[in-house]
Amino acid sequence: MPFPAFLDTCVLYPAYLCDTLLRIAEASAYRPLWSSDVLAELRRNLIDRGIPAQRVDRRIAHMARSFPDALVDGYESLIDGMTNDPKDRHVLAAAVRANVEVLVTFNMSDFPEPALKPYDVVAVHPDEFLLDQLDLYPGITVEVMRQQAASYRREPTTVSGVLVLLERAGVPRFAAEVRRHL
């Protein structure tokens, strides 16, 4: 069984990054987890960005269908006991409830080591997380990138084009390393 990793809202927000993360999970490299609070925050942020609610709801429903065991519940009573940034305590509480070792987030400062250490959770930047996936599963990861690019009807329809967008989304080292593997 693939190891579980809790995905914070901020890594699910950029569409191409979310797609890459979830396609790698579909290839059984890891098991993605999230909470209803993370999905509600994702929905709110995408709608605030101007994406129509129906498109956002379709995206979230597709995520739920693709990963029916990803939703973590029963964490609410843990929220008040978390000592990380108050706005992200629900994220850490859900990660603790899920018993994960890895929490993938751009918001590293919201998850200081003293808040994570008692629960044996490590906050990992998505660039580092994806580099780990590439290191562990180079063939799978490169093939996922090829399939991702080939699945798009509009640009980007090449791996190089997807990598440019992933760089902009905040994972430049991963993009550079994938280029080396092509």
Side-chain angles (χ1 to χ4, degrees):
M1 173 134 195
F3 81 94
F6 195 89
L7 304 178
D8 193 1
T9 306
C10 57
V11 301
L12 296 172
Y13 180 81
Y16 292 100
L17 176 58
C18 179
D19 195 18
T20 300
L21 286 166
L22 297 184
R23 284 174 184 270
I24 290 172
E26 278 183 327
S28 298
Y30 76 99
R31 179 176 165 229
L33 298 171
W34 49 68
S35 67
S36 57
D37 284 332
V38 163
L39 294 179
E41 187 177 354
L42 176 63
R43 183 180 193 279
R44 184 176 58 253
N45 290 342
L46 290 171
I47 290 171
D48 286 351
R49 189 175 120 197
I51 298 173
Q54 301 124 306
R55 274 186 51 203
V56 173
D57 292 340
R58 191 170 46 247
R59 176 176 166 182
I60 291 171
H62 182 71
M63 289 168 57
R65 274 192 314 277
S66 297
F67 300 99
D69 63 345
L71 190 65
V72 176
D73 56 12
Y75 61 90
E76 295 81 4
S77 65
L78 302 175
I79 294 172
D80 290 339
M82 299 296 118
T83 59
N84 61 305
D85 187 287
K87 71 177 174 34
D88 278 327
R89 288 184 179 164
H90 67 93
V91 174
L92 181 55
V96 168
R97 175 70 172 96
N99 199 30
V100 300
E101 294 176 17
V102 174
L103 188 164
V104 185
T105 184
F106 280 111
N107 301 328
M108 301 299 289
S109 64
D110 291 353
F111 299 95
E113 195 217 344
L116 304 176
K117 193 169 179 67
Y119 307 106
D120 293 323
V121 174
V122 176
V124 177
H125 191 280
D127 208 10
E128 192 66 38
F129 182 77
L130 287 170
L131 283 168
D132 288 345
Q133 300 311 300
L134 183 60
D135 187 44
L136 291 168
Y137 310 105
I140 290 171
T141 304
V142 170
E143 182 57 28
V144 162
M145 298 305 304
R146 287 187 175 117
Q147 291 172 5
Q148 180 177 351
S151 74
Y152 297 144
R153 287 180 259 160
R154 291 180 284 149
E155 288 298 326
T157 57
T158 64
V159 174
S160 295
V162 172
L163 294 175
V164 167
L165 295 175
L166 288 174
E167 283 175 326
R168 288 185 204 154
V171 291
R173 293 184 309 136
F174 171 72
E177 195 60 24
V178 169
R179 279 189 191 95
R180 281 188 356 90
H181 282 77
L182 294 175

